[in-house]
């Protein structure tokens, strides 16, 4: 139903599509000076259907200048922008790679390469390549990957822009990332959990240049080897590959906008010295007042008294920080590999808010009113993680043994000052609050994985893991004007032992996966202050999963899967510290248990030379999710958490990509569904539909120009049984971007973008309080919807070597509510 709104939201954008299609016709009709032609055939001379091909400049074997898939005739016929030396790289669906060098000159502008034979692979490939012109999508039995390096827009776009084009992924106007409409997922880097990415993706992904990313994987159906932990999906940002040639490659970029003239710089460098391959990256970001300034109005009624609550306020925040990381690998011989990785994120900021609150009777008489001014003079946040892996490859082809150790830590310090003035019949006995809090989190993980091919068609993975987590929070609150003060010193420890077995096989048109994971966890809580008693508990969880993939023909595949996931509470949900304001009192629950979720999904994938379609229908349920508990007593709201939330959800995800011409690509990424939450013990339930489409049109123009237009709409979602959000026409976002390459081998790229140039000027977020004594609406207007941006990226050096990665990695994605 909500999708009807999106029809109107995107109607005007259809004109842009029509213009792009006409441009494609005009551009393709023009004369092309340089061109290459070839035909991919198998060993019998039969044309290779749907073979993936790419063309690289001889000086740059990392970034292709052209690429697509062949049709049923196996032909490659494409124009190129300039003369020079090139390499044609072709890989068939079930054949080995073939590389053919060629040169174009003014005297010989057309290269006729003839038939190129692709030798058969020793084993059948276990993945399906979904490709049109650009981008290239790779689909496996448990994941879908977006090939960022095959996207021409990646040269000057930040990672957040490219994410909008990834199937099942959306990025809201404020930078919030969702998978299938949910924020309940974890972010990995090169197959390992990355706290900095997960907790601070809004800031980091706006700064990281997409050109430093190889591919983005969306893992919505993890198997037993990827862990049972985590209710949501996994978004894996891959920056490395397994090549091994000498060289050096770097990329430096700057991004700035009309909302923030302070440029966001980023540097990425990769090189190889002997048997050591390494890469480093780093950057800085700044978020100013203009980007975050907002106006909020609240209007609601308490049902028991009929009294009317009204609030009006303004707020803004300023932040700056840096991030960085390194990756290194050492390969003493062909059987041994050692990898090392480290990442950090540091943020400092402050925020200010000014709000007027009043409560009036149905007749309009004032019950109370006051003004509150709050600010955070200090809000420091630091994440760090380090990983070391050792992989041993045996003499048996495909067999590996991997030992891993990972440590990650979070350190957060906050100070808050709130002053209450102009009070009339104040509902509190204090005139202000000063508060400070400190969070320390350390996680250590040791893991062993063994992967062994049972035959040419089957593989068995087994492994074991031990995790030790230590959370400690210290906080204090002084209520000014009274003799009241509170202090807490709370420690929560979790020890987890896990073992898994994962079997995978490919039998002609059938692909199968089955796995089982067992996890034992011991939880303990300790209070260093007060008279609260320490306690502990033990939990045992089994998590089975199964998937069956059937290849209907060379173009279409259908898959059915089931899995069970586990989610453990983070320190935000566990911390018993009481936080009080004049209207609310909230605290965590240290006795929370892990939650489980079961899901079934049916996927259909269609692969054509100029059209790709991927559709997934998913149903999920959970009877013990961590949910918010709300009580309203004497017009004061009390909040906590419990394992009482019954969740039911059904979703439909649709990804389609169409290339009407050789230089035009139209992409639609849409998800929608229904979500229902129920607190049976409270006797309340709520369900809502949602639908969020995203449209992207890309057009290659003469003179090395690339034009892109996009539009999206966010319908809102159900937060809990007590709240939901929704949007109308002001949930629209759209924009245009034009870029051009300069210098030899297109090493310099400049991009100019515009977001919401014709309005709306302000972004609006509406949320509604329901199913309690208080019913109301809150409207927040952000002054940051319109923007003009400039991006400059320069690539230097040439490199085919990238940091190697082990076959198995540490993945911890069970925590929810980790950040304060």
């Amino acid at each position: 139903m909500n999708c009807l709104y999106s029809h109107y939201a995107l109607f005007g954008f259809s004109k842009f599509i029509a213009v792009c299609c006409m441009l494609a016709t005009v551009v393709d009709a023009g004369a092309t000076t340089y061109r290459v032609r070839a035909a991919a055939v198998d060993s019998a001379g039969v044309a290779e259907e749907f073979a993936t091909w790419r063309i690289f400049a001889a000086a740059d074997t990392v970034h292709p200048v052209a690429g697509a898939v062949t049709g049923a005739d196996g032909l490659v016929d494409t124009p190129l922008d300039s003369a020079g030396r090139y390499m044609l790289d072709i890989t068939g669906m079930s054949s080995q790679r073939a590389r053919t060098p060629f040169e174009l000159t003014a005297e010989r502008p057309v290269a006729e390469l003839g038939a190129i034979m692709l030798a058969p692979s020793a084993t059948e490939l276990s993945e399906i390549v979904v490709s049109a012109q650009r981008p290239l999508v790779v689909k496996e039995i448990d994941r879908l990957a977006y090939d960022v390096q095959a996207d021409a827009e990646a040269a000057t776009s930040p990672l957040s822009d490219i994410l909008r084009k990834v199937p099942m992924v959306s990025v809201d106007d404020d930078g919030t990332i969702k998978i299938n409409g949910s924020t309940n997922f974890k972010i990995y880097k090169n197959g390992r959990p990355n706290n900095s990415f997960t907790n601070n993706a809004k800031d980091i992904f706006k700064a990281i240049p997409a050109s430093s990313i190889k591919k983005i994987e969306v893992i919505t159906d993890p198997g037993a080897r990827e862990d049972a932990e985590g209710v949501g999906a996994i978004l894996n940002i891959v920056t490395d590959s397994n090549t091994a040639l000498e060289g050096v490659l770097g990329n430096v970029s700057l991004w700035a906008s009309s909302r923030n003239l302070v440029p966001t710089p980023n540097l990425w460098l990769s090189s190889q010295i002997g048997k050591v391959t390494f890469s480093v990256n780093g950057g800085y970001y700044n978020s100013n007042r203009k980007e975050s300034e907002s106006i909020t109005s609240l209007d609601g009624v308490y049902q028991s008294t009929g009294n009317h609550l009204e609030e009006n306020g303004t707020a803004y925040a300023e932040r700056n920080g840096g991030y960085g990381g390194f990756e290194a690998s050492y390969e003493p011989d062909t059987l041994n590999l050692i990898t090392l990785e480290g990442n950090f994120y540091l943020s400092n900021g402050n925020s200010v808010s000014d709000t007027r609150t009043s409560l009036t009777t149905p007749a309009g008489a004032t019950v109370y009113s006051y003004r509150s001014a709050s600010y955070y003079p200090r809000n420091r946040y630091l994440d760090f993680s380090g990983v070391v892996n050792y992989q041993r490859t045996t003499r048996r082809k495909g067999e590996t043994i991997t030992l891993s150790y990972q440590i990650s830590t979070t350190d957060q310090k906050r100070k808050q000052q709130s002053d209450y003035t102009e009070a009339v019949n104040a509902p509190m006995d204090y005139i202000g609050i000063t508060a400070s809090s400190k969070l320390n989190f350390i996680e250590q993980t040791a893991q062993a994985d063994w992967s062994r091919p049972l035959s040419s068609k089957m593989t068995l993975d087994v492994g074991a893991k031990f995790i030790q987590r230590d959370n400690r929070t210290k906080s204090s609150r002084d209520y000014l004007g009274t003799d009241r003060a509170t202090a807490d010193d709370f420690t929560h420890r979790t020890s987890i032992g896990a073992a898994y077995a994962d079997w995978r096989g490919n039998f002609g048109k059938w692909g199968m996966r089955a796995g089982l994971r067992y996890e034992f966890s011991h939880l303990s809580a300790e209070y260093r202050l007060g008279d609260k008693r320490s306690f502990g508990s033990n939990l045992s969880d089994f998590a089975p999963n199964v998937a069956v993939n059937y290849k209907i023909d060379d173009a279409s595949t259908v898959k059915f899967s089931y899995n069970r996931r586990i989610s453990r509470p983070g320190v935000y949900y566990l911390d018993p510290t009481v936080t009080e304001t004049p209207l609310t009192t909230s605290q965590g629950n240290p006795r929370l248990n892990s939650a489980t979720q079961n899901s079934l999904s049916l996927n259909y994938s269609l692969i054509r030379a100029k059209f790709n379609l991927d559709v997934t229908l998913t149903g999920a349920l959970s009877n013990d999710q961590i949910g918010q508990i709300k009580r309203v007593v004497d017009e004061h709201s009390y909040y906590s958490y419990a394992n009482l939330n019954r969740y039911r959800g059904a979703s439909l995800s649709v990804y389609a990509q169409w290339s009407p011409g050789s230089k035009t690509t139209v992409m639609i990424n849409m998800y929608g569904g229904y979500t229902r939450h129920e607190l049976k013990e409270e006797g309340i339930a709520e369900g809502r539909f949602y639908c969020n489409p995203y449209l992207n049109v890309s057009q290659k123009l003469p003179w090395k120009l690339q034009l892109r237009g996009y539009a999206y709409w966010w319908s809102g979602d159900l937060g809990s049984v007590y709240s939901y959000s929704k949007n109308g026409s002001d949930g629209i976002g759209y924009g245009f971007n034009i870029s051009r390459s300069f210098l030899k081998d297109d090493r310099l790229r400049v991009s100019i973008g515009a977001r919401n140039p014709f309005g709306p000027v302000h972004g609006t977020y509406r949320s509604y309080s329901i199913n309690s004594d208080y019913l109301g609406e809150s409207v927040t207007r952000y002054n940051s919807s319109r923007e003009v941006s400039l991006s400059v990226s320069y690539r230097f050096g040439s490199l085919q070597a990238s940091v190697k990665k082990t076959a198995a990695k540490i993945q911890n994605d069970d925590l929810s509510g980790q950040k304060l």
Side-chain angles (χ1 to χ4, degrees):
M1 184 179 296
N2 288 330
C3 279
L4 293 176
Y5 291 103
S6 66
H7 172 77
Y8 297 102
L10 302 177
F11 176 74
F13 197 67
S14 62
K15 296 180 180 179
F16 178 79
I17 300 176
V19 171
C20 284
C21 291
M22 288 188 291
L23 285 171
T25 303
V26 173
V27 172
D28 289 344
T32 302
T33 304
Y34 302 101
R35 180 175 292 272
V36 60
R37 298 188 181 97
V41 299
D42 60 18
S43 57
V46 179
E48 279 276 359
E49 293 184 316
F50 310 120
T52 300
W53 61 267
R54 291 176 180 172
I55 296 176
F56 297 88
D60 181 5
T61 57
V62 174
H63 303 87
V65 298
V69 295
T70 66
D73 54 12
L75 294 180
V76 177
D77 187 355
T78 185
L80 295 173
D81 294 332
S82 60
R85 295 181 179 180
Y86 297 92
M87 175 75 73
L88 173 61
D89 186 305
I90 307 178
T91 305
M93 295 286 285
S94 58
S95 61
Q96 298 181 23
R97 171 178 293 177
R99 293 177 175 176
T100 305
F102 65 95
E103 183 176 5
L104 298 176
T105 63
E107 294 74 20
R108 299 185 60 183
V110 178
E112 297 284 358
L113 303 183
I116 298 177
M117 189 188 76
L118 306 182
S121 296
T123 59
E124 184 177 359
L125 294 178
S126 60
E127 63 183 25
I128 302 168
V129 179
V130 184
S131 171
Q133 294 286 356
R134 290 182 178 181
L136 188 68
V137 177
V138 178
K139 186 175 180 63
E140 299 181 36
I141 195 169
D142 60 349
R143 69 194 64 198
L144 190 148
Y146 185 92
D147 191 342
V148 178
Q149 291 189 357
D151 190 334
E153 297 171 20
T156 54
S157 298
L159 180 57
S160 57
D161 280 359
I162 298 299
L163 275 172
R164 286 193 169 101
K165 303 165 71 174
V166 178
M168 297 174 282
V169 178
S170 68
V171 182
D172 293 345
D173 193 54
D174 66 349
T176 299
I177 302 169
K178 297 179 180 179
I179 295 181
N180 282 337
S182 173
T183 57
N184 191 15
F185 66 93
K186 296 295 180 180
I187 301 178
Y188 287 50
K189 180 183 178 185
N190 297 331
R192 303 174 182 89
N194 190 291
N195 288 334
S196 297
F197 281 9
T198 299
N199 297 327
N200 311 284
K202 283 186 183 181
D203 299 320
I204 297 179
F205 287 1
K206 287 180 181 178
I208 291 180
S211 58
S212 65
I213 306 301
K214 180 184 178 182
K215 63 180 178 179
I216 301 169
E217 293 182 335
V218 182
I219 309 173
T220 57
D221 184 29
R225 68 184 184 186
E226 280 82 32
D227 279 356
E229 308 167 24
V231 174
I234 297 171
L235 185 66
N236 186 30
I237 309 299
V238 181
T239 62
D240 57 296
S241 63
N242 284 317
T243 58
L245 298 177
E246 298 287 342
V248 62
L249 182 68
N251 181 286
V252 60
S253 64
L254 286 174
W255 183 89
S257 75
S258 56
R259 294 189 303 160
N260 190 346
L261 297 179
V262 177
T264 298
N266 182 277
L267 173 66
W268 175 81
L269 179 68
S270 183
S271 184
Q272 179 168 316
I273 302 175
K275 295 183 178 182
V276 177
T277 307
F278 67 91
S279 69
V280 294
N281 71 91
Y284 167 83
Y285 79 91
N286 173 276
S287 178
N288 62 16
R289 173 174 178 171
K290 185 176 181 181
E291 290 181 292
S292 63
E293 197 167 24
S294 63
I295 300 173
T296 299
S297 62
L298 181 147
D299 196 303
V301 176
Y302 291 98
Q303 301 302 295
S304 59
T305 62
N307 289 342
H308 174 229
L309 179 66
E310 183 178 358
E311 283 190 346
N312 292 282
T314 61
Y316 70 87
E318 297 177 327
R319 287 196 302 159
N320 62 80
Y323 61 92
F326 71 91
E327 303 162 25
S329 65
Y330 171 62
E331 190 175 23
D333 51 53
T334 58
L335 300 180
N336 297 280
L337 173 64
I338 300 173
T339 67
L340 183 67
E341 179 180 327
N343 298 279
F344 82 91
Y345 171 85
L346 175 64
S347 172
N348 287 281
N350 61 81
S351 60
V352 176
S353 65
D354 190 348
T355 305
R356 294 180 182 272
T357 304
S358 65
L359 184 71
T360 57
T361 66
T366 298
V367 178
Y368 63 74
S369 65
Y370 61 90
R371 179 180 181 181
S372 61
S374 299
Y375 62 95
Y376 290 86
R378 184 182 188 188
N379 192 345
R380 175 184 176 274
Y381 183 89
L382 172 65
D383 266 330
F384 172 80
S385 64
V387 184
V388 60
N389 302 281
Y390 167 70
Q391 177 179 289
R392 170 71 178 182
T393 302
T394 70
R395 301 294 179 180
R396 183 185 181 94
K397 185 177 181 181
E399 183 178 34
T400 59
I401 300 172
T402 306
L403 303 177
S404 304
Y405 171 77
Q406 174 176 285
I407 183 170
S408 60
T409 181
T410 296
D411 182 78
Q412 184 174 3
K413 297 181 178 68
R414 300 176 68 179
K415 288 187 177 181
Q416 178 186 358
Q417 172 77 43
S418 297
D419 297 315
Y420 302 99
T421 58
E422 302 176 20
V424 177
N425 301 325
M428 64 284 189
D429 61 351
Y430 45 85
I431 60 173
I433 298 175
T434 60
S436 64
S437 63
K438 182 178 180 180
L439 162 69
N440 291 110
F441 167 76
I442 297 178
E443 177 185 81
Q444 299 184 75
T445 304
Q447 181 173 321
D449 298 275
W450 177 35
S451 179
R452 180 181 177 89
L454 302 178
S455 67
S456 61
K457 299 181 181 296
M458 295 184 294
T459 301
L460 178 65
D461 292 85
V462 296
K465 172 192 286 190
F466 177 77
I467 307 173
Q468 179 64 45
R469 294 191 178 116
D470 293 286
N471 291 283
R472 185 177 182 182
T473 59
K474 298 176 65 176
S475 62
S476 63
R477 295 174 68 86
D478 292 321
Y479 296 89
L480 305 180
T482 73
D483 58 357
R484 289 196 298 131
T486 63
D488 280 291
D489 191 343
F490 170 66
T491 298
H492 189 276
R493 294 185 176 91
T494 304
S495 302
I496 305 169
Y500 76 89
D502 183 277
W503 173 87
R504 304 189 183 204
N506 287 282
F507 308 95
K509 292 187 175 183
W510 293 91
M512 301 178 185
R513 186 201 71 207
L516 178 65
R517 191 175 191 92
Y518 169 74
E519 298 194 352
F520 173 83
S521 55
H522 173 74
L523 291 77
S524 62
E526 179 183 351
Y527 304 91
R528 289 184 168 86
L529 299 176
D531 56 358
K532 298 176 183 177
R533 297 183 59 185
S534 302
F535 67 92
S537 62
N538 297 321
L539 302 172
S540 294
D541 296 291
F542 285 93
N545 65 82
V546 63
V548 179
N549 189 73
Y550 178 70
K551 190 175 181 181
I552 301 173
D553 53 39
D554 288 339
S556 55
T557 306
V558 63
K559 186 189 77 170
F560 171 80
S561 63
Y562 160 79
N563 68 39
R564 189 184 191 199
R565 308 294 286 166
I566 302 168
S567 179
R568 298 183 178 88
V571 68
Y572 178 79
Y573 294 138
L574 296 166
D575 186 1
T577 301
V578 176
T579 301
E580 181 181 336
T581 72
L583 297 178
T584 65
T585 298
S586 61
Q587 67 179 123
N589 179 4
R591 296 183 179 271
L592 291 173
N593 294 322
S594 59
T596 58
Q597 177 173 298
N598 297 280
S599 63
L600 294 170
S601 66
L602 181 65
N603 171 266
Y604 173 74
S605 178
L606 176 67
I607 309 164
R608 296 292 186 190
K610 293 188 176 182
F611 181 75
N612 304 317
L613 176 67
D614 193 273
V615 181
T616 303
L617 178 64
T618 302
L621 63 88
S622 175
N623 293 326
D624 58 359
Q625 271 197 353
I626 298 172
Q628 190 180 67
I629 305 298
K630 179 180 180 181
R631 303 277 193 278
V632 180
V633 180
D634 297 331
E635 298 175 333
H636 189 90
S637 298
Y638 297 84
Y639 297 94
S640 188
Y641 302 93
N643 290 94
L644 298 176
N645 186 35
R646 291 165 57 91
Y647 166 80
R648 303 291 185 270
S651 64
L652 178 67
S653 172
V654 179
Y655 172 82
Q657 185 171 293
W658 173 50
S659 299
S662 62
K663 299 182 180 181
T664 306
T665 300
V666 180
M667 187 271 288
I668 297 175
N669 199 6
M670 183 175 69
Y671 59 89
Y674 176 79
T675 299
R676 185 177 188 271
H677 293 288
E678 178 186 7
L679 292 177
K680 192 173 183 179
E681 289 74 6
E682 305 293 315
I684 55 177
E686 189 69 24
R688 291 192 65 82
F689 288 95
Y690 62 92
C691 180
N692 301 297
Y694 174 77
L695 174 66
N696 183 90
V697 180
S698 179
Q699 174 66 48
K700 190 175 182 180
L701 302 175
W703 308 296
K704 296 185 178 181
L705 290 173
Q706 182 84 22
L707 177 66
R708 178 172 72 98
Y710 63 90
Y712 59 91
W713 181 68
W714 182 67
S715 67
D717 58 18
L718 179 65
S720 70
V721 293
Y722 301 110
S723 66
Y724 70 89
S725 58
K726 72 175 183 180
N727 262 325
S729 60
D730 49 10
I732 300 172
Y734 65 94
F736 306 92
N737 179 284
I738 188 165
S739 60
R740 191 186 191 282
S741 299
F742 299 90
L743 303 182
K744 183 180 180 181
D745 300 323
D746 298 335
R747 292 182 177 271
L748 176 66
R749 195 169 181 88
V750 179
S751 175
I752 299 175
R755 181 166 63 94
N756 290 357
F758 309 112
V761 178
H762 305 287
T764 304
Y765 177 83
R766 292 181 174 84
S767 63
Y768 299 84
S769 297
I770 55 177
N771 291 326
S772 71
D773 185 54
Y774 172 75
L775 304 179
E777 176 189 18
S778 176
V779 180
T780 300
R781 189 181 72 172
Y782 297 93
N783 300 323
S784 60
S785 288
R786 183 178 290 177
E787 178 184 48
V788 177
S789 62
L790 172 66
S791 175
V792 180
S793 175
Y794 177 71
R795 187 182 75 254
F796 55 90
S798 178
L799 175 70
Q800 287 184 332
S802 295
V803 176
K804 294 197 172 185
K805 57 176 181 285
T806 55
K809 309 101 178 174
I810 289 178
Q811 298 177 334
N812 300 335
D813 63 339
D814 56 313
L815 284 179
S816 56
Q818 173 61 22
K819 189 176 181 181
L820 288 176

